[in-house]
Amino acid sequence: MNSASATGDLSPDEFRTAAHAAVDWIADYLESSGQYPVRSRVAPGDVRAALPAVPPQHGESLDSMLRDFHSTIMPGITHWNHPAFFAYFANSASYPGILGELLTAGLNANGMLWVTSPAVTELEEVTLDWLRQLMGLGDGWFGQITDTASISTFYALAAARERAGLDIRTKGMAARTDLPRLRVYCSEHAHSSIDKAVMALGLGHENLVKIPADEQFRLRPHALAAAMAADEAAGFVPLAVVPCVGTTSTTSIDPVVDVVRIAREHHCWVHVDAAYGGVAAIVPELQYLMDGVDGADSLVVNPHKWLFTPMDCSVFYTRDARALKQAFTLLPEYLVTSTSTEATNLMDYGIQLGRRFRALKLWMVLRAFGRDGLAERIRFHCELAREFAGMVHFEGGWELTAPVTLSLVCFRRAPEGANEEAIARLNAAIMERVNARGRVYLSHTKLASRYTLRLAIGNIRTDREHIELAWRELREAAQFVETSGERRE
């Protein structure tokens, strides 16, 4: 490594040159990301095989690293920033968010305690209160930033378990005969992060009760009430219910008002999974999506999904910060400070001690776009979804398989007279052909055992031309598969 620094690090001038080149490349990449194949075309092991098996003995130049980045790393990237990335909920990055991430890396601050960087804690508090207001939620919410919704949901159920008063924090759960069986409830269409949280917290996967959904894939309140009553009669203790504002497969909206009412009758925690759909409430005409949420105990929303903030940035809110703190707070002597008790030490509210300065990028996104700018882009994505749904609806031999609630369309090719097995093979082959061509990337799910394609719109750079491209690719792929007789067995 060519360096004049006694530390062995780069010189400031070398860093400036490389960083300026990297920023130029990022700007060019984001503006032309559509030229890449959306899904990586490498085979398993290709990237690893192209890299040395042993670490370098001597320092290497940044030029050589950047050459390898372009020649070896880039082919192994699936481009989530691609405007035709429709496979999963988007996590596209805006320029203000990227700038915030760059500054965060430069500062390298650790916000574990207030005193270790007061701005890290206090900017997080202010930014999350702004987001709360933008979504139309009332006062009284404590917020913190985690990495993903999986961790936010884990925290919610940990707080629920603590509030149940079973002294699990101290005594654990193993070999205890005094503990009741605890139950958690969610829709059959809820995200797998709930399953994982239940397993990780020692509640037992069989104690996660999946409640049947209605014809619009929403949790059925009467089924929930019946399940909880039956469990109590059998000696179980309902611990928490997790309704969704935007399920993963269909973006259906569970009836949060009813869920909260039923949960309160059984004295259990309500955690709202709005990881995808919550930020849509920034749009005034979509604020109804959060009806009932102010009656819940906790909530997760993911700005890195549909708020154009770089990975990772999940926001966890709770109305019972005391229970959350009781679940996790621990103060060894080496972390004792003389700071005023008015200061918040975010390490007390989760399992992590070290905390990145994630609030900076979200703060910059909120400031750069403002309420109107964010609402305009989210509204446009929902309009694009309705337009794509119209294309499907009015084309013979295709069908919508779920209501279009926000910016996701569930659909499939369904030739007249074909049985479900044949339809599943046909659509799997269509999706594979579309994805292999590299212009568009889709995913699938199953709804009531029906194989279904998903087109999820959420990338900040997605425009009408990209959904039109997706529809052309799908129709051409369907024609090819049907005329060639190609099917996935």
Side-chain angles (χ1 to χ4, degrees):
M1 182 168 63
N2 299 321
S3 175
S5 171
T7 66
D9 200 353
L10 294 175
S11 69
D13 286 342
E14 287 175 297
F15 171 71
R16 285 190 181 95
T17 299
H20 289 163
V23 169
D24 286 342
W25 180 86
I26 291 170
D28 292 340
Y29 166 70
L30 291 178
E31 291 309 300
S32 60
S33 57
Q35 70 179 331
Y36 294 91
V38 191
R39 190 182 69 176
S40 172
R41 293 176 172 177
V42 302
D46 282 356
V47 175
R48 185 181 181 91
L51 297 170
V54 296
Q57 183 69 32
H58 304 288
E60 301 179 40
S61 70
L62 284 180
D63 285 344
S64 66
M65 297 177 214
L66 291 175
R67 282 195 300 271
D68 287 345
F69 170 79
H70 292 295
S71 64
T72 304
I73 305 303
M74 283 297 288
I77 295 295
T78 290
H79 296 279
W80 289 70
N81 277 314
H82 196 294
F85 183 102
F86 299 123
Y88 309 101
F89 293 137
N91 64 354
S92 61
S94 62
Y95 288 122
I98 293 170
L99 181 58
E101 192 73 89
L102 176 62
L103 294 173
T104 293
L107 290 171
N108 199 32
N110 185 344
M112 57 188 191
L113 296 162
W114 177 88
V115 73
T116 58
S117 273
V120 172
T121 297
E122 296 190 16
L123 185 66
E124 189 162 324
E125 291 173 321
V126 168
T127 302
L128 299 194
D129 194 59
W130 283 5
L131 182 58
R132 172 194 65 80
Q133 294 176 57
L134 288 170
M135 294 187 297
L137 294 175
D139 296 330
W141 291 94
F142 168 85
Q144 66 169 309
I145 298 178
T146 68
D147 53 2
T148 63
S150 298
I151 296 301
S152 294
T153 297
F154 177 88
Y155 284 0
L157 296 185
R161 193 181 68 174
E162 182 64 26
R163 195 170 72 180
L166 302 171
D167 200 18
I168 292 173
R169 172 193 164 111
T170 302
K171 297 180 180 179
M173 300 180 73
R176 285 182 62 180
T177 58
D178 61 319
L179 284 181
R181 291 279 294 276
L182 302 173
R183 294 285 217 190
V184 176
Y185 306 83
C186 65
S187 163
E188 61 180 315
H189 293 287
H191 192 266
S192 60
S193 60
I194 303 165
D195 300 65
K196 288 193 173 185
V198 166
M199 292 188 290
L201 288 164
L203 301 176
H205 198 208
E206 67 181 23
N207 291 313
L208 177 61
V209 181
K210 300 290 182 75
I211 303 300
D214 63 17
E215 66 282 353
Q216 295 187 37
F217 308 104
R218 302 171 301 189
L219 180 149
R220 295 180 183 269
H222 294 303
L224 173 65
M228 296 178 78
D231 279 350
E232 284 195 328
F236 297 99
V237 173
L239 178 70
V241 186
V242 187
C244 296
V245 176
T247 57
T248 302
S249 285
T250 67
T251 67
S252 55
I253 312 298
D254 289 336
V256 177
V257 172
D258 292 333
V259 169
V260 169
R261 173 181 53 78
I262 294 166
R264 293 295 172 250
E265 294 172 0
H266 297 271
H267 310 290
C268 69
W269 188 283
V270 178
H271 172 62
V272 179
D273 180 355
Y276 158 74
V279 299
I282 294 173
V283 182
E285 62 268 30
L286 295 178
Q287 211 153 77
Y288 72 90
L289 294 169
M290 302 300 260
D291 286 352
V293 172
D294 271 321
D297 298 286
S298 59
L299 163 73
V300 57
V301 295
N302 278 4
H304 67 224
K305 276 192 170 70
W306 204 6
L307 213 56
F308 322 128
T309 304
M311 283 284 289
D312 47 23
C313 184
S314 178
V315 174
F316 174 62
Y317 290 103
T318 182
R319 284 192 169 278
D320 194 345
R322 180 174 174 271
L324 182 66
K325 187 174 183 179
Q326 285 178 335
F328 292 110
T329 188
L330 185 68
L331 187 61
E333 181 61 30
Y334 52 78
L335 293 176
V336 173
T337 70
S338 59
T339 306
S340 166
T341 56
E342 295 180 2
T344 300
N345 293 321
L346 289 171
M347 70 169 191
D348 292 336
Y349 297 91
I351 201 162
Q352 292 179 314
L353 176 60
R355 301 187 85 260
R356 295 181 61 237
F357 195 4
R358 293 185 178 95
L360 185 60
K361 58 188 175 184
L362 178 56
W363 177 68
M364 295 180 74
V365 168
L366 297 184
R367 290 190 64 183
F369 287 87
R371 181 194 299 270
D372 292 344
L374 294 171
E376 179 183 2
R377 202 63 196 166
I378 293 170
R379 182 185 293 115
F380 179 60
H381 288 164
C382 294
E383 291 173 359
L384 291 180
R386 290 192 294 271
E387 289 182 19
F388 184 83
M391 298 174 191
V392 173
H393 177 71
F394 291 108
E395 181 83 7
W398 294 82
E399 66 179 10
L400 298 172
T401 53
V404 179
T405 307
L406 293 169
S407 67
L408 170 71
V409 184
C410 293
F411 65 102
R412 65 181 187 168
R413 177 72 172 159
E416 186 175 353
N419 61 34
E420 283 300 322
E421 184 179 354
I423 290 174
R425 290 198 305 269
L426 171 61
N427 282 274
I430 290 171
M431 183 181 72
E432 184 55 38
R433 180 164 178 81
V434 168
N435 290 346
R437 281 166 61 87
R439 300 172 185 173
V440 171
Y441 187 25
L442 304 174
S443 66
H444 82 283
T445 189
K446 284 189 176 180
L447 303 175
S449 300
R450 297 181 302 167
Y451 192 99
T452 292
L453 302 179
R454 296 171 71 258
L455 183 138
I457 301 168
N459 188 298
I460 190 172
R461 293 171 182 84
T462 297
D463 211 331
R464 188 165 283 105
E465 66 185 273
H466 302 109
I467 66 164
E468 292 171 348
L469 171 64
W471 186 227
R472 287 197 303 273
E473 290 284 304
L474 283 157
R475 294 169 71 194
E476 290 173 8
Q479 182 179 20
F480 175 85
V481 171
E482 290 173 335
T483 56
S484 69
E486 178 183 319
R487 297 289 190 275
R488 172 178 288 182
E489 298 299 332

